[in-house]
Amino acid sequence: MNQFHRNEINKGILQEYTFCPLKIFKNKRKSDYTKASEPHSICVGTDNALNVCQKLIDDKWLMTIERQNKIIIEWEDSAIGTAWEGAFDVLVGDLDGNKLDELIIAELQGESNGFGMAYWKIFIIKDFDPNNPAQPIELEANVYGPKGTFIRKINSKKCNVLAAKWISLNHPERGWGTYLEAVLFDYNKGFLSAIPDKPRLIRRYLFSFEKERGRTWDSPLLPLIWLKNVNVESVTEGFIRQHSK
């Protein structure tokens, strides 16, 4: 089997997907973020009396989940002190279709100069129970949007997670370049796994993509809308390993 195929051949890989109906309690634009210079906390409330907070406690930056001013779960998050306070979304919804909501935090942990590569970390707490919360699982990405990272087939209630990163690739036909690579993950009962029958998706960062990125950089539908483009190719994991810089 060929290691890569143009999207013209494999139409429909993501065309049948739309966003998951998650509740979004924060989705701030980057221009609203503040540099972490003063020790204070920023909290986002949900509709079930929970607060998700970034806090500086005993000289440690923490992400906390609280109810009635009591911390019910916390983890150390040193990235808060070096990135932007308040640069996180809180989402609630049933990802795996078991009628129990997950609690999701998508946090911007940094951004490079020049290209402007973002570094996101996504925390997912399964079947969130404030009386017995599980520890979060984590996933990293360079491109994130609340309606483009958590996606589902149009006629399905089960959600998948679309994780996209920028990579350098020596494509045998297109040569060296920057590409957006995306992997579609299945989420089930607190575990993430790459879907075996779904290929890796890549799209080369050409001038047309650069212009599109400039127009849509803050769209909540990222990265899904970038990966529905006709220039997307499907490749194997082996192809990525063989041709990555």
Side-chain angles (χ1 to χ4, degrees):
M1 189 174 88
N2 290 336
Q3 285 189 309
F4 65 94
H5 296 279
R6 293 281 162 75
N7 208 28
E8 293 94 320
I9 301 173
N10 290 278
K11 287 183 179 179
I13 292 174
L14 290 179
Q15 302 303 324
E16 58 184 327
Y17 282 83
T18 185
F19 62 88
C20 288
L22 304 178
K23 295 179 181 179
I24 305 168
F25 292 96
K26 186 179 182 184
N27 184 20
K28 298 189 72 176
R29 292 176 179 268
K30 178 184 168 185
S31 59
D32 295 331
Y33 301 158
T34 57
K35 189 69 176 177
S37 57
E38 297 292 332
H40 60 276
S41 64
I42 294 179
C43 296
V44 178
T46 70
D47 61 358
N48 55 358
L50 293 174
N51 283 320
V52 179
C53 305
Q54 293 176 331
K55 286 190 170 183
L56 185 65
I57 301 176
D58 296 331
D59 296 323
K60 290 184 179 180
W61 284 102
L62 301 175
M63 183 72 77
T64 69
I65 300 175
E66 306 177 13
R67 185 172 62 173
Q68 296 177 345
N69 296 319
K70 180 182 178 181
I71 295 176
I72 58 176
I73 186 173
E74 67 180 36
W75 59 89
E76 191 169 348
D77 191 351
S78 59
I80 300 171
T82 57
W84 296 275
E85 287 183 279
F88 65 98
D89 289 348
V90 178
L91 304 95
V92 175
D94 181 9
L95 292 182
D96 52 7
N98 68 350
K99 299 183 180 179
L100 297 172
D101 286 342
E102 275 66 45
L103 179 67
I104 304 161
I105 303 166
E107 180 187 41
L108 180 63
Q109 297 196 328
E111 188 172 90
S112 69
N113 294 323
F115 185 77
M117 184 183 298
Y119 298 89
W120 289 89
K121 184 168 284 189
I122 297 168
F123 304 90
I124 303 175
I125 302 176
K126 70 171 185 175
D127 304 342
F128 187 77
D129 178 358
N131 296 310
N132 187 27
Q135 288 294 319
I137 60 171
E138 302 177 9
L139 182 68
E140 295 181 348
N142 295 137
V143 182
Y144 159 80
K147 294 185 176 182
T149 296
F150 302 97
I151 62 175
R152 62 180 174 89
K153 289 185 178 179
I154 292 172
N155 295 320
S156 175
K157 293 182 179 180
K158 182 176 173 58
C159 297
N160 298 125
V161 183
L162 185 64
K165 293 185 176 182
W166 297 105
I167 61 171
S168 294
L169 196 68
N170 187 11
H171 196 293
E173 287 191 354
R174 300 191 178 195
W176 278 113
T178 297
Y179 290 76
L180 184 66
E181 177 202 6
V183 181
L184 193 61
F185 285 90
D186 177 66
Y187 175 84
N188 188 39
K189 298 180 181 179
F191 294 95
L192 283 168
S193 56
I195 300 177
D197 62 342
K198 295 294 184 183
R200 303 292 177 98
L201 300 177
I202 60 172
R203 181 181 174 188
R204 189 172 184 184
Y205 191 64
L206 298 173
F207 181 62
S208 59
F209 192 178
E210 181 182 23
K211 291 196 297 182
E212 181 183 352
R213 183 181 177 220
R215 293 193 306 268
T216 59
W217 68 271
D218 61 348
S219 170
L221 292 169
L222 297 180
L224 179 61
I225 57 172
W226 290 350
L227 292 161
K228 286 189 173 185
N229 187 278
V230 70
N231 293 315
V232 169
E233 299 176 46
S234 58
V235 302
T236 65
E237 183 180 0
F239 178 91
I240 298 292
R241 289 198 305 266
Q242 180 180 354
H243 299 290
S244 292
K245 184 173 181 179

